[in-house]
């Protein structure tokens, strides 16, 4: 997953070296079950209760199939399963594009990849906050990491249309205040 690739930049170089990137998650289970505090929201009792879970997912784009789409597809987000996104591809601007978001729904291992760490935003689910929803987190919203590296707070009252704009990399939307 993207989280394994970030380890050296999070002062986790020794853990990063324990991964055999030529083999899958099952072959890397021991290092993959290591608790990495930066991958767990301090308020997430669910992730803190199990080894190796993460509270953060990368935004793949709009729709349930977003993570599987090829580069250049309409509605793509910051990351997909098998596609690379360059900064030049982020036409909406890196300060207007969500890279990572907090979640407490369907948590998975940070090292496994797939839907445990990369998800599309289902635009039909406009009630996006709450129990069993995409962004179930604090009562008032959650933090998001933008593609420029900044972290912003996304209110629970932000519209689904605004989230759509913040999720896609090339829809022409500007984030503005949210």
């Amino acid at each position: 997953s993207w989280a394994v690739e970030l380890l050296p930049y999070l002062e986790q170089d020794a853990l990063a070296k324990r991964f055999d990137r030529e083999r899958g998650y099952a072959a890397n289970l021991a290092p993959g079950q290591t608790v990495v505090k930066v991958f767990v929201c301090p308020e997430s009792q669910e992730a803190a209760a199990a080894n190796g879970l993460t509270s953060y997912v990368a935004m793949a784009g709009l729709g349930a199939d977003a993570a599987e789409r090829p580069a250049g597809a309409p509605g793509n987000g910051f990351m997909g399963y098998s596609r690379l996104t360059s900064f030049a591809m982020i036409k909406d601007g890196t300060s207007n594009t969500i890279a990572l978001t907090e979640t407490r729904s369907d948590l998975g291992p940070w090292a496994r990849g797939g839907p445990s760490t990369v998800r599309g935003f289902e635009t039909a689910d406009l009630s996006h906050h709450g129990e069993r929803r995409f962004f179930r987190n604090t009562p008032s919203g959650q933090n998001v990491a933008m593609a420029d590296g900044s972290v912003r707070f996304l209110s629970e009252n932000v519209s689904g249309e605004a989230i759509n704009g913040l999720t896609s990399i090339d829809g022409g939307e500007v984030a503005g205040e949210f």
Side-chain angles (χ1 to χ4, degrees):
S1 85
W2 56 265
V4 173
E5 299 304 318
L6 282 182
L7 290 173
Y9 304 98
L10 301 172
E11 299 176 351
Q12 296 289 329
D13 196 47
L15 179 58
K17 289 178 181 176
R18 292 178 52 201
F19 281 90
D20 180 350
R21 287 171 176 76
E22 299 298 318
R23 302 179 71 195
Y25 174 72
N28 288 287
L29 197 56
Q33 290 183 330
T34 302
V35 175
V36 179
K37 288 185 180 185
V38 73
F39 294 147
V40 179
C41 173
E43 296 179 9
S44 176
Q45 295 173 353
E46 299 92 343
N51 287 346
L53 294 185
T54 185
S55 307
Y56 305 101
V57 294
M59 296 300 287
L62 304 176
D65 68 337
E68 299 168 4
R69 292 193 303 248
N76 274 357
F78 184 73
M79 194 176 298
Y81 293 157
S82 298
R83 70 172 184 258
L84 298 176
T85 302
S86 69
F87 285 119
M89 294 168 72
I90 305 174
K91 304 288 188 208
D92 290 346
T94 56
S95 64
N96 294 312
T97 302
I98 297 174
L100 305 172
T101 186
E102 294 180 277
T103 188
R104 286 175 48 198
S105 297
D106 302 320
L107 300 180
W110 61 264
R112 183 170 60 200
S116 66
T117 58
V118 179
R119 298 182 194 165
F121 177 65
E122 184 55 58
T123 58
D125 188 6
L126 294 182
S127 178
H128 48 275
H129 284 276
E131 197 67 35
R132 303 302 305 160
R133 299 289 188 200
F134 190 87
F135 294 128
R136 187 176 75 96
N137 201 33
T138 66
S140 59
Q142 82 275 347
N143 291 305
V144 294
M146 305 304 284
D148 68 357
S150 66
V151 175
R152 295 167 71 181
F153 187 76
L154 184 70
S155 165
E156 68 177 332
N157 298 318
V158 70
S159 71
E161 291 172 350
I163 295 174
N164 288 349
L166 294 165
T167 300
S168 71
I169 63 173
D170 60 358
E173 308 88 356
V174 176
E177 294 298 317
F178 58 90

